[in-house]
Amino acid sequence: MMHISRPLILASTSPYRRALLERLGLPFTQEPPLVDEAALPGETPEALVLRLARAKAMAVASRHPQAIVIGSDQMAVLGEQILGKPGSPERACAQLAMLSGQSVRFLTGLAVICQAQGQHLVEIVPFTVRIRQLSTAEISDYVARDNPVDAAGSFKSEGLGIALFERMEGEDPTALIGLPLIRLTQMLADCGARVLG
């Protein structure tokens, strides 16, 4: 396991983001950012994910100024409509019926902040998924088996959700799960936390 000079903190309680960050083999802790995630009036999805990723990282960094803090936020967008987490199987089925045959953009805001070094790195990593034409039976079966009620877009690409896809387009498939590791590795290196070497 690589050792880094500063504590590394993931400003998230997401088990999906934790599992992704564990792939890099760096020691880290998780801390809830406790940030209001409501959109501001007239805020675009892009502006929202950037603001929330930064706010989450800053909230934790303010409590741990010597740490390197990772914040992330993700929106699923159909046209200009933000798709929230469905929260129930019924709403997941309705959301997937709406997405059938459509392309869904995932915008993942990523922030790496190290107050002690004056580093504030923030950007969006986009990813697009084209959903196949889905029957009502396929949607019901998928929701019953994968229970995607806590997933934006009502599917889990790291699980059975991949069976819903016609194609995926983007530079980093981990962005779809909520933490773009390719870009994160570069941002961490800029803050002195190298994953390799």
Side-chain angles (χ1 to χ4, degrees), residues 108-120:
T108 303
L110 179 63
V112 176
I113 293 177
C114 182
Q115 298 278 59
Q117 294 177 306
Q119 293 274 31
H120 293 75

Side-chain angles (χ1 to χ4, degrees), residues 87-99:
S88 73
E90 295 76 23
R91 283 197 290 272
C93 287
Q95 201 171 73
L96 286 171
M98 180 178 66
L99 297 180

Side-chain angles (χ1 to χ4, degrees), residues 11 34 48 52 79 104 123 140 147 174 190 197:
L34 307 175
L48 178 59
L52 291 179
V104 186
E123 67 181 74
S140 297
N147 193 32
T174 58
D190 290 344

Side-chain angles (χ1 to χ4, degrees), residues 16 86 88-89 92-97 99 106 131-132 134-165:
Y16 307 112
S88 73
C93 287
Q95 201 171 73
L96 286 171
L99 297 180
F106 283 82
I131 305 295
R132 293 188 299 103
L134 302 171
S135 69
T136 303
E138 286 175 313
I139 290 170
S140 297
D141 185 37
Y142 169 70
V143 170
R145 291 171 63 189
D146 219 17
N147 193 32
V149 297
D150 63 345
S154 298
F155 58 80
K156 299 178 185 178
S157 64
E158 68 278 17
L160 183 58
I162 199 80
L164 306 174
F165 298 175

Side-chain angles (χ1 to χ4, degrees), residues 30-53:
Q30 278 183 278
E31 190 167 317
L34 307 175
V35 166
D36 180 359
E37 298 191 25
L40 300 175
E43 192 170 33
T44 66
E46 290 83 359
L48 178 59
V49 296
L50 279 177
R51 180 176 62 80
L52 291 179

